[in-house]
Amino acid sequence: MNIPKNYSQIDQWKSIMFLYDSALKEINTKITILNNEFIHMYGHTPIEHIKSRLKTPDSIVKKLKRDGQEVTIENMVEKLSDIAGIRIICSFTQDIYQIADMIARQRDVTVLYVKDYIKQPKPNGYKSYHMVVTIPIYLTEGPVDTKVEIQIRTVAMDFWASLEHKIYYKFEGNAPDSLQAELKACADMVDMLDAKMFSLNQLILAVGQDQNRKE
């Protein structure tokens, strides 16, 4: 991402955040189109809803300092991958990989790396599928590849992650052991719930197909 050096710090900041905001809109549009195509082809959607956000200046500064980086615009662009973030919430774990594949197959989307916290959950029980991608933003002077982090998770995983996030900031990352143990137990319950809901959905589909055959 090349921002003219003769820009003031404020102008550089505005230009960069404009790019990230534009990247969010581009990815949002792509996901919406893919979702509508899925509905058209299969009669249902794997996506429950989509959330997007830009990191605040305060969050950017805190993350750079936490990572031991000097607070500069260059480090912000080079070292951080989640300034622009999109979260896709779906019904079932199986949908996650299908959605990720649909996004990765887009011609102008480049997948930089993936972190699969579903197959390898974090020690505290956190589960989600993370992709960091770039998408070109076409300006008058040409395209600028801009990073976006995409998180894909089920409704149950998102509910757990939201609670964990609140607890993390409430205790500044040092929650009591008993609370962390409870969170981990809840994560295990979420895992069982996702499996049970998928099994129930398969049963519903099977019953529906059986009824159609009888008709």
Side-chain angles (χ1 to χ4, degrees):
M1 185 185 294
N2 296 316
I3 302 297
K5 299 298 183 183
N6 59 338
Y7 277 20
S8 69
Q9 289 283 303
I10 292 176
D11 285 338
Q12 287 185 44
W13 169 264
K14 288 180 178 178
S15 296
I16 289 168
M17 296 313 289
F18 164 75
L19 287 170
Y20 283 123
D21 184 56
S22 300
L24 281 181
K25 290 173 181 174
E26 287 281 350
I27 293 288
N28 255 314
T29 298
K30 282 184 174 296
I31 294 168
T32 300
I33 292 171
L34 289 170
N35 193 44
N36 289 341
E37 180 193 16
F38 200 94
I39 294 171
H40 174 71
M41 291 177 64
Y42 303 110
H44 70 279
T45 171
I47 297 175
E48 294 288 339
H49 56 272
I50 304 167
K51 304 174 185 177
S52 60
R53 64 103 185 96
L54 285 174
K55 266 190 180 300
T56 63
D58 186 50
S59 293
I60 290 170
V61 169
K62 283 182 178 178
K63 183 153 190 181
L64 283 172
K65 288 182 176 178
R66 191 165 62 242
D67 293 345
Q69 301 291 338
E70 184 182 353
V71 180
T72 66
I73 287 178
E74 289 77 12
N75 280 345
M76 163 187 155
V77 172
E78 293 298 322
K79 306 296 184 183
L80 301 185
S81 298
D82 62 345
I83 293 174
I86 286 184
R87 187 174 303 149
I88 302 171
I89 312 302
C90 55
S91 302
F92 308 109
T93 303
Q94 286 73 9
D95 295 333
I96 292 172
Y97 295 99
Q98 187 172 21
I99 293 166
D101 183 60
M102 288 163 62
I103 294 169
R105 282 191 278 113
Q106 295 293 294
R107 185 180 300 176
D108 57 351
V109 171
T110 301
V111 179
L112 297 182
Y113 61 87
V114 166
K115 291 184 179 179
D116 189 344
Y117 295 115
I118 296 170
K119 291 180 179 176
Q120 293 184 312
K122 290 185 179 181
N124 66 353
Y126 176 84
K127 281 189 164 188
S128 187
Y129 187 93
H130 293 194
M131 306 169 68
V132 174
V133 306
T134 61
I135 185 167
I137 302 302
Y138 292 92
L139 305 179
T140 54
E141 295 183 359
V144 181
D145 288 333
T146 306
K147 285 188 287 189
V148 178
E149 183 190 61
I150 302 171
Q151 298 180 359
I152 314 173
R153 58 179 69 147
T154 65
V155 175
M157 290 175 193
D158 191 56
F159 177 67
W160 183 94
S162 177
L163 178 61
E164 189 272 341
H165 183 77
K166 291 175 184 177
I167 291 172
Y168 180 89
Y169 281 96
K170 174 73 173 178
F171 293 95
E172 298 182 343
N174 295 302
D177 290 344
S178 58
L179 200 52
Q180 293 185 45
E182 287 292 327
L183 266 176
K184 180 61 173 66
C186 285
D188 294 336
M189 293 178 194
V190 164
D191 198 30
M192 288 188 288
L193 177 61
D194 272 334
K196 190 68 176 177
M197 293 301 289
F198 177 73
S199 176
L200 179 59
N201 184 64
Q202 295 299 98
L203 179 60
I204 291 169
L205 292 175
V207 170
Q209 290 172 355
D210 186 56
Q211 288 178 340
N212 289 335
R213 281 195 296 269
K214 289 179 180 177
E215 291 173 359

